[in-house]
Amino acid sequence: MAFSNLFRKKTVHDILKQVDKNESDGHHVLGKHLNARDLTAFGIAAIVGAGIFSTIGKASADGGPAVIFLFLFTAIACSFAAFAYAEFASMVPVSGSAYTYSYVAFGEIIAWIIGWALIMEYAIGNITVAISWSDYFTGLLESGGIKLPQWIQMDYLTASNGFKDATALMHGGKSFENLSAGLQASYTAWTTSPVIGSFHFVADLPALLIIVLITALVYRGMKESRNASNLMVVIKLCIVLLVIAVGVFYVNTDNWHPFAPNGVSGVLKGVSAVFFAYIGFDAISTTAEECKNPQRDLPRGMMWAIIICTLLYIAIALVLTGMVSYNELSVGDPLAFVFDKLHIGWMSGIIGVSAVIAMASVLLVFQMGQPRIWMSMSRDGLLPKRFSTVHPKFKTPSFATIVTGFVVAVPALFLNLTMVTDLCSIGTLFAFVLVCAGVLVLQNKKDIPRGKFKTPYVNSKYVIPFLLIIALVFAFKYNNKATMAFLTNEKQISSPSVIVTSLNKDKSKEVYEFIAQNYGDKKIASEDLEQVLSSFSQDDALYKTVVDSLPIDISLKYESGFSLFKHKIPMWIFLIVMIGLTVWSNRSNLSLIPLLGLICCLYMMAELSVWNWIYFTIWLLIGLLIYFSFSRKNSKLNIQ
């Protein structure tokens, strides 16, 4: 097959024609039950979940009250992407989301890549939410006097890694009681779990339970899913508004000073966590065939969902950082935490119940999205025909829904929360980047049928170079130290926890005795090596002196060379692409809004660790293997 055939495209006319022929080909038409209000509710259901009940705490601890600007930045970035999604959804009102849009704009191989990425986004996203739901659910049971064994409420990787870190810290002199609650739970889960040979059976069974229940609901029908979603959205919006209404009376404005305690870098540190709080609005586009008027209602649903959720996030962030100091918010359940701290216990119970409902509604929307992506790919011949089977009674993609349940449920038993959160973010951002790029590619093509919604056009020819100059001035004039450290790959000193967890028991003892002998005048009052090193870290110069003198390998003291540079590769990719986009915008008079969406989303991808890029690349390579072994020859475009 010629190389050019990898980029064979579908036309909008052919896609719409295919939808009309679905029933005659053995595909039953999906039920049309959704209007703009339902779509807005689905968007809120997807967005208001783990972000507002969990990740907002860590982001607030890093950025202080100024985290509201990060919510605004992320909302604007998502809005730019939403314009692009809305334009495509109006142009091609079928299930398939970014996959179908890429088929029109770029061709089959890119469509396959984005479809494969979306499969990961929705699957990994639901794994993440299922794990978070499990945490809140088990916490709610515990508050009611029902305590489940740790090994059936924690994933395998968290228990295994936590056990290793806890053991290393205890070797360094830290007592079990002084370990963080998370490490204590991990250690307990690992040591109390059933053992088969050398395998410890640790699995998150509540996560499995909620996935099975949600999958059954999604299988049952769109109307039932819509009604359940609307009900859950009403409940959790009432709870969020109650939190704001009660919390505002306990706000101490002194807690808002300093407003940005860690500067711009502190605010941006929460990019991944805050973006995860917005993931989900794009899932609305997968329901296009089930909308009564998709060309009108899809754009409205996306925009209203983002606007409403942004206002809620900003209000919640201001209330939380006003009720307690920002540096106390790095907890898994920040809303419940602040009310507990201020002795308003009755609110904590309400928040616990609402969090369980909120997480379930997010699961519902994501679990609806993935089968519809698989169904669209199957219709095009890129996946086996069975994935496009629509249930004759329930009017849902039945086989794809069941497979989705298995794909999400099994990994949720064993995978780590942090890993899956970042993987979900990078898959989603990648989809956003390609959708925005797709609008740019098609903007000047006259033979493309246009829908009722079109992104407002503003010429980016001079705006993008101007913004690039401003960014360079800021980087070198106001953030010169960090910029030069980035460019010169200046070595970075390791944190106390990194140093301690890399030492074995004997080496920890040797290091402790060395510090006690050489720095005894600094009032070393603890046998906890991490605590001792942390006491020095309050003074950067002193901490550097102590670390430099420790009797350990220099690779444990500093990160340098390629081991440091590899973490900067995503940002270098962003900078190089930015130069290319600047040239492209100047030559082709690109539309500003989708271009800004592409830049913002690519920047947020660059803020994720290089390991996420590596894992994501491995996933894409697996997808390409499937494409060249099955999908390419079975593609409907190839058969024609």
Side-chain angles (χ1 to χ4, degrees), residues 364-557:
L364 176 63
V365 177
F366 272 44
Q367 207 72 348
M368 284 193 310
Q370 185 174 339
R372 285 154 179 80
I373 299 293
W374 289 24
M375 179 184 70
S376 295
M377 296 175 76
S378 173
R379 284 174 173 176
D380 296 330
L382 304 186
L383 286 177
K385 188 175 181 179
R386 198 170 181 189
F387 281 91
S388 58
T389 302
V390 175
H391 196 284
K393 179 180 178 182
F394 300 141
K395 307 297 183 184
T396 58
S398 50
F399 179 76
T401 300
I402 294 172
V403 173
T404 296
F406 280 102
V407 168
V408 175
V410 176
L413 295 171
F414 306 107
L415 287 186
N416 178 275
L417 181 61
T418 302
M419 178 187 296
V420 292
T421 299
D422 287 346
L423 276 174
C424 180
S425 294
I426 196 169
T428 306
L429 286 166
F430 183 68
F432 287 5
V433 165
L434 284 187
V435 171
C436 291
V439 171
L440 296 174
V441 168
L442 297 179
Q443 71 171 28
N444 294 322
K445 293 191 175 181
K446 305 300 183 184
D447 57 339
I448 301 293
R450 303 292 174 178
K452 296 178 181 178
F453 180 87
K454 195 172 189 309
T455 304
Y457 176 80
V458 178
N459 195 335
S460 65
K461 183 173 184 177
Y462 301 110
V463 177
I464 294 301
F466 177 71
L467 293 177
L468 188 60
I469 291 170
I470 291 177
L472 290 173
V473 170
F474 175 82
F476 284 99
K477 186 172 182 179
Y478 299 102
N479 199 28
N480 184 263
K481 184 178 179 181
T483 301
M484 294 310 298
F486 175 84
L487 294 174
T488 60
N489 203 39
E490 182 181 324
K491 65 180 182 181
Q492 293 183 357
I493 195 166
S494 299
S495 67
S497 61
V498 169
I499 292 174
V500 174
T501 54
S502 64
L503 304 176
N504 60 33
K505 185 175 183 179
D506 292 336
K507 201 64 179 178
S508 293
K509 183 178 180 182
E510 180 186 344
V511 170
Y512 179 84
E513 291 175 349
F514 175 84
I515 294 176
Q517 182 178 349
N518 292 276
Y519 300 95
D521 58 323
K522 303 298 181 182
K523 297 182 179 179
I524 298 174
S526 172
E527 295 183 357
D528 183 344
L529 180 57
E530 183 192 22
Q531 187 175 334
V532 171
L533 284 173
S534 296
S535 67
F536 293 121
S537 65
Q538 305 302 316
D539 182 331
D540 291 343
L542 176 60
Y543 180 65
K544 183 178 185 305
T545 300
V546 172
V547 171
D548 284 340
S549 67
L550 294 179
I552 58 176
D553 190 88
I554 191 170
S555 64
L556 302 180
K557 302 176 184 180

Side-chain angles (χ1 to χ4, degrees), residues 46-68:
I47 296 172
V48 179
I52 206 164
F53 288 99
S54 180
T55 57
I56 193 174
K58 182 65 168 61
S60 299
D62 290 331
V67 75
I68 63 169

Side-chain angles (χ1 to χ4, degrees), residues 3 76 119 165 171 178 200 464 571 580 597-598:
F3 177 77
I76 291 170
I119 289 173
D165 289 345
H171 286 164
N178 287 329
H200 288 251
I464 294 301
M571 187 55 70
L598 192 160

Side-chain angles (χ1 to χ4, degrees), residues 590-625:
L590 297 180
S591 177
L592 181 63
I593 290 177
L595 183 57
L596 287 177
L598 192 160
I599 292 170
C600 291
C601 293
L602 188 61
Y603 172 77
M604 287 190 282
M605 283 182 70
E607 286 290 332
L608 298 173
S609 78
V610 69
W611 295 113
N612 290 299
W613 284 66
I614 292 171
Y615 296 145
F616 183 59
T617 301
I618 292 172
W619 174 260
L620 293 184
L621 290 175
I622 293 172
L624 288 175
L625 183 65

Side-chain angles (χ1 to χ4, degrees), residues 4 23 53 91 115 148 159 161-163 237 292 301 333 410 440 467 481 536 573 598 614:
S4 60
E23 188 163 6
F53 288 99
M91 187 191 310
L148 300 177
N161 295 335
F163 172 78
L237 283 182
K292 295 176 181 176
D333 52 348
V410 176
L440 296 174
L467 293 177
K481 184 178 179 181
F536 293 121
I573 292 174
L598 192 160
I614 292 171

